[in-house]
Amino acid sequence: MKNVLMVFASMTGNTEEMADAVKEGLEFGKANITIKEVFDASASDLESYDGIVLGAYTWGDGELPDEFLDFYEEMDEVDLSGKKAVVFGSADSSYPQFGAAVDILIAKLQERGCTVVAEGLKVEFSPSAEEKEQCRELGRRLLGLD
């Protein structure tokens, strides 16, 4: 797998930090990476790539961020059969559902025929050095390197 699309949303920069680390893992595998913030992406873009990386922080009591809602709804129109994906996001454990946006995106990818190759990576607020390494591993795992 060489062509990977990463789509993410970050409000405070925590999920963007995770995205940067996932990108490093993908670069290790020499993937051709296209990175888009979700408001610059369309779900139909996913169909043009072998690998998909989605990143979203969890909003409120366990919801997707507002800027991800249109993209999420557009996903109902795409066929992701044969594609592989990973999902990550920052979250706050003070809410009843920790990192639910990650779970919501995984379920939608699977519903659309995509194979999610790793458990969703959820990080409390800003990623630590160890959690950034987990993000790099997530990128490598998408490419089958871990």
Side-chain angles (χ1 to χ4, degrees):
M1 171 186 326
K2 289 294 182 187
N3 294 312
V4 176
L5 175 62
M6 180 187 303
V7 177
F8 74 96
S10 184
M11 182 182 355
T12 62
N14 296 335
T15 304
E16 186 171 9
E17 277 188 71
M18 294 178 75
D20 290 341
V22 172
K23 177 184 173 215
E24 290 172 11
L26 293 167
E27 288 172 337
F28 179 81
K30 309 233 186 293
N32 297 320
I33 311 155
T34 302
I35 300 174
K36 296 184 178 189
E37 292 192 40
V38 71
F39 53 79
D40 291 328
S42 170
S44 63
D45 296 340
L46 300 173
E47 293 179 307
S48 301
Y49 293 85
D50 306 312
I52 299 166
V53 180
L54 299 181
Y57 61 93
T58 297
W59 182 250
D61 290 331
E63 300 151 19
L64 284 173
D66 286 347
E67 60 267 38
F68 234 105
L69 295 177
D70 288 342
F71 184 90
Y72 179 81
E73 289 177 12
E74 290 172 8
M75 288 177 74
D76 286 334
E77 305 302 319
V78 298
D79 179 5
L80 302 179
S81 300
K83 302 195 182 299
K84 294 183 179 181
V86 293
V87 182
F88 65 91
S90 60
D92 182 344
S93 63
S94 69
Y95 289 101
Q97 295 185 47
F98 181 71
V102 171
D103 301 328
I104 291 167
L105 291 172
I106 287 172
K108 181 61 77 176
L109 286 165
Q110 291 172 330
E111 174 187 307
R112 303 312 308 152
C114 192
T115 300
V116 178
V117 299
E119 185 176 324
L121 181 57
K122 303 172 185 180
V123 170
E124 176 91 14
F125 303 121
S126 181
S128 66
E130 180 180 319
E131 289 166 332
K132 284 182 182 180
E133 182 54 35
Q134 291 173 352
C135 292
R136 289 182 201 95
E137 289 172 14
L138 191 68
R140 292 190 298 266
R141 181 120 186 239
L142 177 64
L143 301 176
L145 301 175
D146 273 357

